[in-house]
Amino acid sequence: MLLMTAVVGGGSVYAQFKGNIWCFGDSAGINFTPPMSFFKSGSSFLRAGCSSISDSLGNLIFYGASGNTTNSHNGLVRKGKLFNRNHNKLFNGDTLVGGEWYHDMIILPKSVTDSTFYVIMAGVVVPDTGLFYCVVDMKLQGGLGQVVQKNVQIENHPVQDMLAAVRHGNGRDWWLVTRRYTYAPGNIPNNEFWVYRVDSTGIHPRPVQNVGYSIFGNLGDISFNAQGTKLVISSLNNYIGVINFDRCYGFYTALLLWKLHLLQEVHLNFIMQQFFHRMVLNYMQYLTNNSIIFGVNYTNLI
């Protein structure tokens, strides 16, 4: 499944960011700017964790995925790779932490007044467990960009491949949300939600929050509604949760819904609100009135 990032901010240079262009799969590319068009992207195989970002005019800036050709770096297999707008490998943009998971890469602007970006990656299993990031400076290489910091580790515990982000209430910074993956030892269930404030000075962890029932499972997703006030979460073993979120303080405020075993043998995934009305894939998301959740798994519609 694919994770595509939609980013909106204010300021100069790349003053407003969009997710109107998707690059994924076997060299596939879609530009959702009307009239919708298709093109060939630069990779022969973007299997998973796909993420892209465009400028205020809808022009592609760069993109990448956690699952590309296998790269060996110091004995570790790191499959993440980034591509510039010309669909060539971004300078120093290979051997990123990534293992062909699902929603384990996301791109966020580092500053609303500069042309630098974070590429955040989830390390799900050994040897690269944890939360990592790279910094891309689009001023370098003649405007095609360069990775200036690579595979910087923030956390060392396994992270579920369900990275999501929502804009901070101040309209400038971002909240990054994920969950801890306690698969070893013993596949221990947990109800831990991890929240990070992302701004021009770094990626800052908030206190771990415990919400809902303790569950074990990976292969799910987290997605926010258009206002960023609610999120939906799914996980393996048929879990669906709806939770209130405070965009100003980064806190979960109330558990609204927690359904167990909603469907048999379900693997639910979510799609960002900005794209819901444009594509119907195997995802789940709020409808535009934010009162109904639409979901599709491999074989069922809910």
Side-chain angles (χ1 to χ4, degrees):
M1 298 301 101
L2 308 174
L3 170 64
M4 295 296 179
T5 342
V7 185
V8 180
S12 59
V13 189
Y14 298 116
Q16 182 178 354
F17 305 101
K18 296 182 178 181
N20 61 302
I21 296 178
W22 290 13
C23 302
F24 60 95
D26 186 1
S27 305
I30 303 177
N31 187 340
F32 288 98
T33 303
M36 186 172 68
S37 59
F38 303 88
F39 61 92
K40 184 176 181 180
S41 64
S43 172
S44 60
F45 194 53
L46 291 175
R47 177 187 182 275
C50 304
S51 192
S52 61
I53 191 166
S54 301
D55 63 20
S56 60
L57 299 177
N59 300 309
L60 182 65
I61 301 175
F62 72 98
Y63 62 98
S66 65
N68 192 254
T69 55
T70 300
N71 299 293
S72 179
H73 178 67
N74 295 332
L76 303 180
V77 177
R78 295 178 171 178
K79 299 183 180 181
K81 197 169 187 178
L82 300 176
F83 296 84
N84 61 35
R85 64 176 181 267
N86 293 333
H87 310 295
N88 299 316
K89 182 180 74 70
L90 195 128
F91 193 91
N92 196 31
D94 57 359
T95 63
L96 275 62
V97 168
E100 295 188 11
W101 294 96
Y102 290 86
H103 304 84
D104 55 339
M105 176 184 283
I106 193 167
I107 299 170
L108 293 174
K110 184 177 181 182
S111 170
V112 297
T113 59
D114 201 355
S115 52
T116 52
F117 299 84
Y118 294 110
V119 180
I120 302 169
M121 304 89 67
V124 181
V125 296
V126 293
D128 286 323
T129 56
L131 192 64
F132 299 80
Y133 73 89
C134 300
V135 175
V136 175
D137 189 338
M138 293 305 301
K139 297 187 298 295
L140 303 180
Q141 303 299 318
L144 294 177
Q146 176 177 330
V147 174
V148 294
Q149 290 181 271
K150 184 189 290 189
N151 297 333
V152 180
Q153 190 168 25
I154 306 169
E155 303 283 359
N156 58 15
H157 62 76
V159 175
Q160 291 194 14
D161 52 334
M162 49 173 66
L163 299 179
V166 65
R167 188 163 56 177
H168 191 289
N170 64 17
R172 180 182 64 251
D173 304 328
W174 291 83
W175 296 111
L176 172 71
V177 177
T178 188
R179 284 177 49 82
R180 184 171 181 168
Y181 187 25
T182 49
Y183 71 92
N187 296 339
I188 302 171
N190 75 81
N191 63 348
E192 297 179 8
F193 285 79
W194 295 66
V195 180
Y196 303 81
R197 181 169 176 169
V198 181
D199 60 28
S200 61
T201 65
I203 302 172
H204 314 286
R206 303 285 290 177
V208 176
Q209 301 173 52
N210 300 92
V211 183
Y213 298 100
S214 291
I215 61 174
F216 168 75
N218 201 34
L219 302 174
D221 199 11
I222 297 172
S223 184
F224 287 91
N225 66 349
Q227 289 75 28
T229 57
K230 292 181 176 62
L231 63 86
V232 285
I233 175 174
S234 73
S235 185
L236 194 66
N237 300 324
N238 312 329
Y239 302 111
I240 297 176
V242 181
I243 304 171
N244 277 345
F245 186 78
D246 188 321
R247 289 198 307 129
C248 293
Y249 298 100
F251 289 118
Y252 300 97
T253 57
L255 178 69
L256 302 180
L257 169 69
W258 197 270
K259 289 288 187 180
L260 308 182
H261 308 294
L262 182 64
L263 294 173
Q264 293 299 314
E265 298 180 1
V266 164
H267 172 191
L268 293 172
N269 295 285
F270 302 127
I271 189 171
M272 297 296 289
Q273 164 68 24
Q274 288 84 349
F275 303 110
F276 168 74
H277 60 289
R278 297 176 182 169
M279 290 193 73
V280 179
L281 299 173
N282 290 336
Y283 295 105
M284 169 176 274
Q285 180 58 332
Y286 285 94
L287 291 176
T288 53
N289 62 8
N290 292 301
S291 62
I292 300 174
I293 296 175
F294 174 88
V296 180
N297 66 22
Y298 291 131
T299 58
N300 299 282
L301 174 67
I302 61 173

